Amino acid sequence: EVQLVASGGASVQAGGSLRLSCTASGFTFDGAGMGWYRQAPGNECELVGLINNDGTINYAVSVKGRFTISQPNAENTLYLQMNSLKTEDTAVYYCAADNSWSALTGGRAGIWGQGTQVTVSS
């Protein structure tokens, strides 16, 4: 079974840091792109960042310089390191995977994790 499991969400104060993890089972990252998305209450799901199978990483303007996506070669896990967190970063964070870069950029990835809650308080 192809599955993504996201974890690491928590409640933190503004300025703090968190690291989210997304572990894949049933498939490998080779030939696939992956991404992190988030959805705040009342808002649409928005792209946080994407990593392509060649290692290219793109970030949303709102998180660039604060968030870092990594995918160590020896692990079947995708990470999202979030620093200098702001209250507006509060959301449910999802990881997703697809072999189509356009699907990832368009939020139409074929495989989604279950989401992990990040709450940033002032």
Side-chain angles (χ1 to χ4, degrees):
E1 179 186 2
V2 174
Q3 191 176 13
L4 293 174
V5 178
S7 62
S11 296
V12 296
Q13 290 193 325
S17 298
L18 279 176
R19 189 176 78 158
L20 305 184
S21 301
C22 175
T23 301
S25 62
F27 71 103
T28 63
F29 292 133
D30 289 348
M34 298 193 69
W36 286 99
Y37 303 79
R38 65 186 182 185
Q39 186 167 22
N43 289 357
E44 294 186 353
C45 187
E46 65 171 340
L47 175 66
V48 173
L50 299 175
I51 181 168
N52 203 343
N53 55 7
D54 65 2
T56 302
I57 302 176
N58 293 341
Y59 297 98
V61 171
S62 59
V63 305
K64 199 168 186 177
R66 300 188 297 121
F67 290 11
T68 302
I69 291 174
S70 63
Q71 185 182 319
N73 291 334
E75 303 179 34
N76 208 32
T77 301
L78 183 72
Y79 297 100
L80 179 66
Q81 177 67 43
M82 304 185 294
N83 298 329
S84 302
L85 282 162
K86 305 176 181 180
T87 56
E88 52 263 43
D89 295 319
T90 295
V92 177
Y93 284 70
Y94 300 89
C95 58
D98 202 281
N99 285 323
S100 166
W101 189 247
S102 63
L104 287 166
T105 58
R108 302 183 308 274
I111 306 168
W112 290 83
Q114 84 286 4
T116 185
Q117 176 70 48
V118 172
T119 302
V120 184
S121 58
S122 58

